[in-house]
Amino acid sequence: MGTAASAFHNSIAAELDGARPSLTPTALLRRAKQRRQIQGMIGVSYVIDAFVLLIYSHAGTIPATIGPTYAACGLFTVACNIVLSETGFTERFTDHYFVTPQAIVGMTILLAFTYIAPQAGVVFLCSLFVVFNFASLRSTPRQTALVWTAMALGLAGLFLLTDKPISMPHGTGLERFATMSVFILTIGRCMFLGMFSNSMRQSLYQSGLKLKEAYRRIEELAELDELTGAYNRRCIMRMLGEEVARARRSGTPCSIALIDLDWFKRINDAFGHPIGDEVLRTFAITMFANIREFDRFGRYGGEEFLLVLPDTFTDGAAQILERLREIVADLDWSAFSAGMRVTISAGVTTLRPNETTDTFLARADGALYTAKARGRNHIASA
């Protein structure tokens, strides 16, 4: 169970930080699917621009070959990116989306066609906003700065080093319709990408919640005894140390009880270890159901358990243990096997001034042996 939680934690953590180590097949498929989605949207964007260019060509603004050539260049880059993704090549890199290369290639195509067909330059310049929106889906601050610098240099070269008359056609009704379509479709794509980005953030947020739950579960598994669900020895000893320190600071009493299931080895020998395990689980459940909310109960080892009783003197602790002893003895253990009877013995003691935890436990252990010497099914106080 702990291994499963660890594997789940590793896969989600890797998804969140974009790291490359040992992703699960499911995580790899999820990443590949996301890349396909993004490439699909980029391809559709090129087709949309090509459609507008065809309207301009029909209006006589640009040659008829511009639109198909532009679409062919864009879709060729999309196909190359899909091949690199599907073959697993992109998984070799931390930036498995190839944000910077894709953005720079896209900007190069747009600036090149602005130079080739400046009469419809508005199409390509508006599409730069779409390129940046795509890049922003997965880019880091460093990648954003790099892409912005490349765009600034490209635009500087286009506007300052050439005298191309970059236009926004509006001379005829068809040209005005095409130019209107450029702005409508550009804004629409940017809005769609914003919604897609929000969906990705929601997915990331859900993954973060799953990661927190995995951490919580891992911590819980690290503290609990796998068989009984009680705190394990390491955890109950830490809690005992904390309660001892608190009792010393506040001057309040603190009692403990070492509890042993009587003749447990005989139960295992007579009824089998699976039944013995069920006895331990049932005993632990019974204890949790009948102790106070602030008491601490853990498996000390084997069939021995430690109960920490804060703010409790010896007499009160002995009364609590006597009640628990009666509850355990009165359970219908024959439900597990005919003739079965389970009882407990316990040694109870209260912390003394300046006493160490080891001495505290040793006195409780001594009281437990006294209870056993009295014939078991007894509570003894040190």
Side-chain angles (χ1 to χ4, degrees):
M1 196 168 183
T3 302
S6 299
F8 172 76
H9 153 255
N10 290 335
S11 66
I12 294 295
E15 278 284 291
L16 290 175
D17 61 19
R20 284 177 281 164
S22 61
L23 286 173
T24 64
T26 302
L28 290 171
L29 288 173
R30 189 183 303 117
R31 282 158 57 129
K33 180 182 177 181
Q34 267 194 349
R35 290 195 294 266
R36 283 194 295 272
Q37 286 178 327
I38 292 174
Q39 291 304 318
M41 289 188 290
I42 292 173
V44 170
S45 186
Y46 279 116
V47 171
I48 289 173
D49 285 342
F51 176 75
V52 175
L53 290 171
L54 286 176
I55 298 177
Y56 277 125
S57 67
H58 188 71
T61 310
I62 57 174
T65 57
I66 295 296
T69 305
Y70 172 80
C73 291
L75 294 177
F76 175 74
T77 63
V78 169
C80 290
N81 287 321
I82 290 175
V83 170
L84 293 175
S85 173
E86 296 302 311
T87 57
F89 179 81
T90 57
E91 291 294 347
R92 302 178 187 178
F93 302 90
T94 301
D95 176 22
H96 60 92
Y97 287 91
F98 275 23
V99 171
T100 303
Q102 285 192 67
I104 291 176
V105 168
M107 287 191 303
T108 301
I109 292 174
L110 292 171
L111 293 175
F113 273 88
T114 305
Y115 181 84
I116 294 169
Q119 305 92 324
V122 64
V123 176
F124 310 113
L125 295 182
C126 282
S127 290
L128 286 174
F129 292 99
V130 180
V131 169
F132 259 86
N133 266 271
F134 273 113
S136 68
L137 292 177
R138 302 295 304 195
S139 61
T140 64
R142 180 176 177 275
Q143 289 172 321
T144 301
L146 183 60
V147 172
W148 181 87
T149 302
M151 180 206 65
L153 292 174
L155 287 173
L158 182 65
F159 280 92
L160 302 180
L161 301 181
T162 74
D163 57 356
K164 293 288 182 177
I166 301 169
S167 303
M168 185 176 70
H170 60 281
T172 66
L174 192 56
E175 284 182 335
R176 295 178 75 87
F177 172 78
T179 301
M180 176 195 72
S181 300
V182 169
F183 289 105
I184 290 174
L185 293 172
T186 299
I187 293 170
R189 279 177 285 176
C190 290
M191 290 179 65
F192 175 80
L193 288 172
M195 291 187 294
F196 183 74
S197 175
N198 183 63
S199 174
M200 291 179 67
R201 282 195 299 270
Q202 288 295 324
S203 176
L204 188 63
Y205 174 72
Q206 293 299 323
S207 295
L209 292 180
K210 291 179 182 178
L211 179 58
K212 289 180 180 179
E213 176 61 22
Y215 272 127
R216 187 197 66 77
R217 184 60 181 150
I218 290 168
E219 290 174 354
E220 184 180 276
L221 290 171
E223 290 186 340
L224 299 182
D225 174 62
E226 186 175 357
L227 176 62
T228 64
Y231 293 117
N232 58 30
R233 182 185 177 104
R234 180 185 62 81
C235 183
I236 194 64
M237 290 299 292
R238 173 176 57 80
M239 290 178 168
L240 173 61
E242 292 170 355
E243 288 300 332
V244 167
R246 189 183 70 84
R248 286 173 179 159
R249 286 194 309 270
S250 60
T252 55
C254 178
S255 295
I256 59 172
L258 270 178
I259 306 168
D260 185 82
L261 272 69
D262 296 329
W263 309 115
F264 185 72
K265 186 176 183 304
R266 294 183 183 179
I267 294 174
N268 274 335
D269 292 342
F271 304 102
H273 286 278
I275 294 297
D277 290 346
E278 289 300 322
V279 168
L280 288 173
R281 272 191 286 266
T282 302
F283 166 69
I285 292 170
T286 302
M287 292 293 291
F288 277 121
N290 290 281
I291 60 177
R292 300 169 298 183
E293 184 179 349
F294 54 84
D295 293 335
R296 297 291 178 260
F297 177 70
R299 192 176 183 185
Y300 191 65
E303 66 272 18
E304 275 195 346
F305 292 82
L306 176 62
L307 178 61
V308 182
L309 301 160
D311 301 320
T312 309
F313 286 102
T314 305
D315 290 344
Q319 292 175 5
I320 291 172
L321 267 297
E322 181 61 30
R323 180 176 62 86
L324 293 172
R325 182 196 65 77
E326 292 175 355
I327 291 171
V328 171
D330 290 342
L331 288 178
D332 183 14
W333 296 98
S334 62
F336 291 121
S337 187
M340 177 184 288
R341 183 169 180 266
V342 177
T343 60
I344 61 171
S345 298
V348 179
T349 188
T350 301
L351 182 68
R352 292 173 177 173
N354 302 318
E355 185 175 36
T356 66
T357 302
D358 290 340
T359 306
F360 193 20
L361 283 167
R363 289 196 301 108
D365 192 49
L368 174 59
Y369 276 99
T370 300
K372 290 180 178 180
R374 292 175 180 171
R376 289 179 167 77
N377 195 20
H378 278 79
I379 306 299
S381 301

